Amino acid sequence: MPHRRHALALLAAPALARAIPSMAPANSSAEGVLRVVATEFPPYTTQESSEGGPAIAIARAALARTGLTLEMDFRPWSRLIAELQRGLWDGVIGVWRNPEREGYLSFPQPLGIANRIGFMARSDRRFDVRELSRLKHLRIGIVRGYANPPAFEQANLQCDEALDDLGNLRKLQAGRIDLALVDKGVAAYLLRRQLSEAAASLVWLEPSVADMPLYMAFNRAHAAHGSRVTAFNKGMAEMQSSGQLARLLMRSAELM
């Protein structure tokens, strides 16, 4: 996954402009090459950008400082999680951290991007979202397999799953759900790029539910996961001290 302030609690890094090759899952990598997966979560991870979006650009740059390179592919989120659990990838970019995922993923420091998670509603049907417990009568659209904020999960609301955020916003536009739980930056991007006809009819509701940091994580099924975490943290520290990370995130903010 991870304020969404169009979602960049940005810290910084270079732009290594590089196309993302397609590849099949594999259990082993060439020396110095990590096979990594992401999902379409624009603008943070996306095949529409030659760099793959700011989350991938940051991860690629941090690892490059330690001599590691990435081969990227994209999967629908639920399939991505299943393949990670089977050990088919070295890592994942654009993931939120929770206790369940810590069982099969090793997390370094976050990417410097935080997702601002909250609700989109139809402009003609706005709701007071300050207290989640008062939303139990509503149908809330979520994405299958996403790790939702703890406060949202604890509220035990009526949830309606979609395959992705775009599907959720389309269901909201059609009146099939009452609210869509989404990252503010993702919603703004999709309404601008793929759902422009709904831009005037869908609105963001304040306050947000949570800010969730976005991570790259490494597969615990691979023996090198610990050394990769160390390498990633080293690369991030160098990027921060050089100002490279801040420059990339400032440039990325223009996407929001």
Side-chain angles (χ1 to χ4, degrees), residues 109-130:
Q109 71 178 72
L111 292 164
I113 298 170
N115 293 134
R116 191 178 183 200
I117 311 299
F119 296 111
M120 292 289 293
R122 289 175 58 97
S123 57
D124 59 352
R125 290 198 72 214
R126 304 182 189 218
F127 301 94
D128 184 344
V129 296
R130 288 173 294 179

Side-chain angles (χ1 to χ4, degrees), residues 116-184:
R116 191 178 183 200
I117 311 299
F119 296 111
M120 292 289 293
R122 289 175 58 97
S123 57
D124 59 352
R125 290 198 72 214
R126 304 182 189 218
F127 301 94
D128 184 344
V129 296
R130 288 173 294 179
E131 295 184 34
L132 296 180
S133 61
R134 300 179 65 179
L135 306 179
K136 291 185 180 292
H137 64 293
L138 302 178
R139 293 164 298 164
I140 314 289
I142 63 173
V143 176
R144 184 175 304 155
Y146 276 18
N148 297 312
F152 179 86
E153 295 289 357
Q154 292 162 13
N156 195 28
L157 302 178
Q158 297 182 55
C159 294
D160 189 303
E161 291 187 337
L163 291 177
D164 54 31
D165 290 298
L166 181 60
N168 249 347
L169 293 179
R170 283 178 169 151
K171 290 200 299 186
L172 180 63
Q173 179 190 21
R176 293 166 53 198
I177 55 176
D178 300 302
L179 296 170
L181 186 72
V182 64
D183 170 82
K184 187 176 183 180

Side-chain angles (χ1 to χ4, degrees), residues 189-206:
Y189 185 92
L190 292 174
L191 288 174
R192 188 168 64 246
R193 299 292 187 92
Q194 298 186 50
L195 208 57
S196 58
E197 72 278 7
S201 62
L202 301 183
V203 295
W204 172 262
L205 301 179
E206 292 287 355

Side-chain angles (χ1 to χ4, degrees), residues 98-110:
N98 68 6
E100 178 188 355
R101 291 176 182 168
E102 288 173 350
Y104 57 92
L105 294 174
S106 194
F107 287 84
Q109 71 178 72

Side-chain angles (χ1 to χ4, degrees), residues 38-54:
T39 200
E40 193 66 26
F41 190 58
Y44 312 110
T45 58
T46 176
Q47 297 174 88
E48 294 180 6
S49 165
S50 63
E51 296 176 345

